Amino acid sequence: MAAANSFEITVKGKQAHGSRPWTSVDPIVAAAQIIMGLQTIVSRQTELTKEAAVITVGKIDGGVRSNIIPEEVTMIGTIRTLDEDMKAKIFEDIERTATNIAAASGATAEVKINKGYPVTYNDPAITRLLMPTVAATAGEDNINLIRAITGAEDFSFFAQQVPGLFIFLGGMDPAMNPAEVGGHHTPTFQIDDRSMKLGVELYTNIALDYLSGKAR
Amino acid sequence: MKLLLPFLLLLSFALSAQNESHAKTAAAAIEVEPKVIAWRHHIHENPELSNREFETGKYIAAHLKSLGMEVQENVAHTGVVGILKGGKPGGVIALRADIDALPVVEEVELPWASKVRTTYLGKEVGVMHACGHDTHVAMLMGAAEVLTKRKADIEGTVVFMFQPAEEGAPEGEEGGAELMIRRAYYPTIRSMSPSASISTPRRHSAR
């Protein structure tokens, strides 16, 4: 699962009457250019053959009425990455893109990147060690090794300290249609009680097999 | 062939030991399932937001104490850590479940649906286990019960970590796994077994 970091960009210009833009430094136009500039970070500057990455601007805020060019525009967004080096590079790319595009029109941009969750990454050795236990418990045919997803999890902090294994356990009533059920974080989300027994078994067998060395 | 045979015998012995152990687990899981479902319904009906899991924490702690294990409460605000020492010496493994709910109004028709309302960021909101953490808590409580019964079989120590605020601590507060590591992992767990995997902190970055 991806690392999630949020960013905040404050573009500062010079306020003026909307009829006289030449007396302003327009932060709205600069912000628009910055948003478009950010699009080229993932599409043109990130090595996507390594891993996927996402930059999304989720909110933009500036101005009060039609005929005032405001002093300031702020925008916030999220960055999703699956690789620590790519993450560090994207942080730098955002800073460089925003500040230089702002500077082009005489505005300034201040970029703040907030610490989020690191990449959730299953340790290969622990995964190899425990997969036979997981398969024996859940049934070989019920195991899906999934591709990376851009959601995030704070389990990643534990997995930075010790080798970690993170498992998704299916919990949908098999009689339901996956296309119609409520997703995570929605008011109609539900989990079938019958799915929990397997979770109890997985926790238990993983603990016992790991400690006894039978998983090895 | 002389060398291979004992190896094969050993291997089949190891495999049958694992099968036997898993069969015991399966039987114990069937036995504990009604309780797991009841716990899940209780937690689902009484959801609490991140860093506010006061009653959830007490509920978990009461169960772990009833099993006779060493329990730490109010870890990283409302988290609970249970330490189960097995009958034989060995390493350490930690099992983790997150315990917080979300500011969502439940619309599922269930006898145990959440009707809880609270204030979040100045807004009146519902509270719902809309990310399955209620099931994570119930399953780990179930595993704690099963493993306690099989304490004699455990070669080492199992740590149960019930972690608050996975969805993110409220603005201006610390919380979640990061705080849990500072409050539980570093002070207690890391020193428990110098040779076990859990006590060899290392950083790795995904390729």
Side-chain angles (χ1 to χ4, degrees), chain A residues 50-51 82-85 115-117 119 121 123-126 130 132-134 136-137 152-164 166 169 183-215, chain B residues 17-18 21-22 25-26 29-30 32-33 36-37 40-41 91-93 95-98 102 104-108 112 128-132 135 138-140 142-143 146-147 150 154-155 157-158 161 163 165-168 176-178 180-181 185-186 197-198 200-207:
Chain A
K50 263 169 85 179
E51 292 291 354
L82 293 155
D83 177 277
E84 290 295 323
D85 295 337
K115 206 173 149 239
Y117 295 168
V119 177
Y121 177 65
D123 179 82
I126 284 287
L130 291 171
T133 295
V134 174
T137 307
E153 237 299 331
D154 80 346
F155 179 78
S156 48
F157 287 110
F158 293 114
Q160 279 187 333
Q161 303 295 329
V162 295
F166 189 87
L169 178 63
H184 287 75
H185 293 209
T186 73
T188 54
F189 179 72
Q190 48 187 310
I191 292 176
D192 191 330
D193 279 335
R194 290 171 294 177
S195 63
M196 291 189 289
K197 186 165 70 71
L198 179 58
V200 173
E201 288 181 65
L202 283 168
Y203 272 136
T204 304
N205 288 340
I206 282 171
L208 290 171
D209 290 357
Y210 173 76
L211 292 174
S212 71
K214 278 179 201 126
Chain B
Q18 194 200 53
S21 169
H22 285 195
T25 304
I30 290 169
V32 82
E33 187 183 19
V36 171
I37 293 173
R40 190 262 169 133
H41 291 182
V92 182
I93 186 167
L95 305 173
R96 172 264 202 178
D98 39 13
L102 288 158
V104 173
V105 179
E106 176 147 19
E107 289 172 15
V108 186
W112 37 276
M128 176 188 174
H129 271 292
C131 202
T135 65
M139 290 187 291
L140 193 52
V146 172
L147 283 161
R150 298 185 60 187
I154 300 173
E155 296 174 39
T157 304
V158 184
M161 298 191 98
Q163 178 217 307
E166 189 278 327
E167 302 289 355
E178 209 181 6
M180 195 98 186
I181 286 160
Y185 172 68
Y186 276 107
S197 62
I198 199 160
T200 47
R202 67 171 205 245
R203 288 188 161 267
H204 45 235
S205 64
R207 275 163 297 115

Side-chain angles (χ1 to χ4, degrees), chain A residues 122-180:
Chain A
N122 277 349
D123 179 82
I126 284 287
T127 307
R128 259 196 308 277
L129 190 70
L130 291 171
M131 274 317 281
T133 295
V134 174
T137 307
E140 192 84 53
D141 294 345
N142 297 321
I143 308 291
N144 291 314
L145 293 174
I146 57 171
R147 299 168 73 99
I149 63 170
T150 50
E153 237 299 331
D154 80 346
F155 179 78
S156 48
F157 287 110
F158 293 114
Q160 279 187 333
Q161 303 295 329
V162 295
L165 176 67
F166 189 87
I167 298 172
F168 284 114
L169 178 63
M172 194 190 70
D173 178 345
M176 288 176 144
N177 179 355
E180 285 169 7

Side-chain angles (χ1 to χ4, degrees), chain B:
Chain B
M1 202 59 200
K2 264 181 192 167
L3 273 173
L4 191 64
L5 194 64
F7 172 74
L8 282 173
L9 280 172
L10 207 65
L11 186 73
S12 68
F13 175 73
L15 280 174
S16 73
Q18 194 200 53
N19 288 342
E20 198 191 310
S21 169
H22 285 195
K24 270 195 204 172
T25 304
I30 290 169
E31 202 183 311
V32 82
E33 187 183 19
K35 285 193 201 174
V36 171
I37 293 173
W39 296 329
R40 190 262 169 133
H41 291 182
H42 175 84
I43 295 157
H44 190 90
E45 203 171 352
N46 299 281
E48 295 172 296
L49 293 177
S50 306
N51 276 1
R52 305 288 181 272
E53 309 92 333
F54 306 109
E55 297 305 318
T56 309
K58 279 185 209 159
Y59 191 73
I60 296 163
H63 175 64
L64 299 184
K65 282 180 197 165
S66 80
L67 297 172
M69 69 174 79
E70 183 188 332
V71 180
Q72 296 176 359
E73 289 177 78
N74 306 315
V75 180
H77 298 303
T78 52
V80 182
V81 176
I83 298 166
L84 177 63
K85 294 204 168 77
K88 298 167 195 168
V92 182
I93 186 167
L95 305 173
R96 172 264 202 178
D98 39 13
I99 69 173
D100 53 329
L102 288 158
V104 173
V105 179
E106 176 147 19
E107 289 172 15
V108 186
E109 279 182 36
L110 292 167
W112 37 276
S114 164
K115 294 169 193 75
V116 177
R117 298 286 181 276
T118 191
T119 312
Y120 178 71
L121 300 175
K123 275 189 207 156
E124 197 70 13
V125 293
V127 186
M128 176 188 174
H129 271 292
C131 202
H133 299 184
D134 52 338
T135 65
H136 302 172
V137 171
M139 290 187 291
L140 193 52
M141 284 170 71
E145 184 156 330
V146 172
L147 283 161
T148 299
K149 283 188 183 146
R150 298 185 60 187
K151 203 170 160 174
D153 296 340
I154 300 173
E155 296 174 39
T157 304
V158 184
V159 178
F160 300 89
M161 298 191 98
F162 292 88
Q163 178 217 307
E166 189 278 327
E167 302 289 355
E171 190 77 41
E173 291 180 28
E174 285 189 300
E178 209 181 6
L179 190 62
M180 195 98 186
I181 286 160
R182 292 213 301 276
R183 297 281 186 272
Y185 172 68
Y186 276 107
T188 322
I189 303 163
R190 192 180 172 203
S191 60
M192 278 170 26
S193 169
S195 62
S197 62
I198 199 160
S199 63
T200 47
R202 67 171 205 245
R203 288 188 161 267
H204 45 235
S205 64
R207 275 163 297 115

